[in-house]
């Protein structure tokens, strides 16, 4: 009976989410159809990203390019397209919309890359999830992919999976000997710099409120790569 009630409440929560999404689409459709298209794209990307994660081949799991594409679909598409949608609703030019998209895309990639690092260095209290959550679930992220370039024998462990705690410990040992963590942080910083550059490329404005908002956007790029949770 308790299981039935739990599933019923979950079903209600899903329906409530669907209802809110449909109402948001209706509201947006009356203002800007392109924004509705962006929202649909985000949903499509979320599904695609989850599918990529659940159905990867051995070669795909060990590909940095595949990992970054999956990261874009799962995390970054929502941020980049949301930033673009705001500029469209505000009536800005196509140039500004592209810069907003670039800002969101690079900010999102930087955020996820640091997230990958924190999965190895953070604690469950600061992250809100168990440390080593990804690798214990068989999800290979940037630090391990970079470590694999230095220690090809890691590939055998990835192919074997991480159900066995011994394999996790061996992988962590290789990771500690490699520059996997440092290279992931460096890549995150590069994307944070690109996000900041997108803000700097926006048309000049003498409005103090606009200047303050842009400084906040740049500050966010710093916070993303220096956060500890």
């Amino acid at each position: 009976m308790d299981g039935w009630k739990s599933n019923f409440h979950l079903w209600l929560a899903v329906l409530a989410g669907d209802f809110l999404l449909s109402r948001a689409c209706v509201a947006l459709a009356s203002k800007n159809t392109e924004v509705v298209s962006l929202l649909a794209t985000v949903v499509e990307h979320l599904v695609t990203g989850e599918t990529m994660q659940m159905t990867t081949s051995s070669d795909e799991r060990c590909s940095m390019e595949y990992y970054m594409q999956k990261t874009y679909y799962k995390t970054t598409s929502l941020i980049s397209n949301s930033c673009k949608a705001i500029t469209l609703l505000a009536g800005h030019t196509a140039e500004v919309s592209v810069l907003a998209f670039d800002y969101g895309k690079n900010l999102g990639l930087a955020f996820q890359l640091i997230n990958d690092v924190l999965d190895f260095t953070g604690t469950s209290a600061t992250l809100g999830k168990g440390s080593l959550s990804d690798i214990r679930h068989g999800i290979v992220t940037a630090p391990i992919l970079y470590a694999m370039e230095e220690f090809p024998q890691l590939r055998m462990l990835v192919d074997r999976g991480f159900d066995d705690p011994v394999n996790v410990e061996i992988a962590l040992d290789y990771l500690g000997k490699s520059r996997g963590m440092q290279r992931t942080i460096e890549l995150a910083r590069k994307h944070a710099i690109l996000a900041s550059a997108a803000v700097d490329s926006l048309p000049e404005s003498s409005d103090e409120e606009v200047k303050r908002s842009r400084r906040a956007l740049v500050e966010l790029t710093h916070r993303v790569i220096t956060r500890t949770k």
Side-chain angles (χ1 to χ4, degrees), residues 57-141:
S57 67
S58 176
D59 287 341
E60 288 169 341
R61 290 181 74 201
C62 298
S63 166
M64 189 67 177
E65 181 181 357
Y66 188 88
Y67 160 80
M68 292 297 285
Q69 186 65 57
K70 180 190 70 175
T71 297
Y72 172 74
Y73 285 143
K74 284 193 63 182
T75 304
T76 310
S77 175
L78 174 61
I79 301 174
S80 58
N81 282 297
S82 295
C83 289
K84 182 177 181 179
I86 292 170
T87 62
L88 292 174
L89 290 172
H92 287 292
T93 65
E95 177 190 4
V96 170
S97 294
V98 169
L99 290 171
F101 179 91
D102 288 344
Y103 172 83
K105 177 181 178 180
N106 286 292
L107 183 74
L109 289 173
F111 176 88
Q112 186 57 50
L113 288 164
I114 294 299
N115 221 46
D116 294 342
V117 170
L118 291 176
D119 192 56
F120 291 102
T121 63
T123 64
S124 56
T126 58
L127 292 176
K129 62 176 181 177
S131 201
L132 306 178
S133 173
D134 287 335
I135 194 171
R136 292 191 192 282
H137 286 88
I139 301 172
V140 181
T141 56

Side-chain angles (χ1 to χ4, degrees), residues 153-170:
Q153 52 268 50
L154 252 175
R155 171 67 183 265
M156 182 176 63
L157 289 174
V158 171
D159 289 341
R160 193 183 302 165
F162 296 102
D163 292 334
D164 187 342
V166 173
N167 288 344
V168 175
E169 292 303 318
I170 295 173

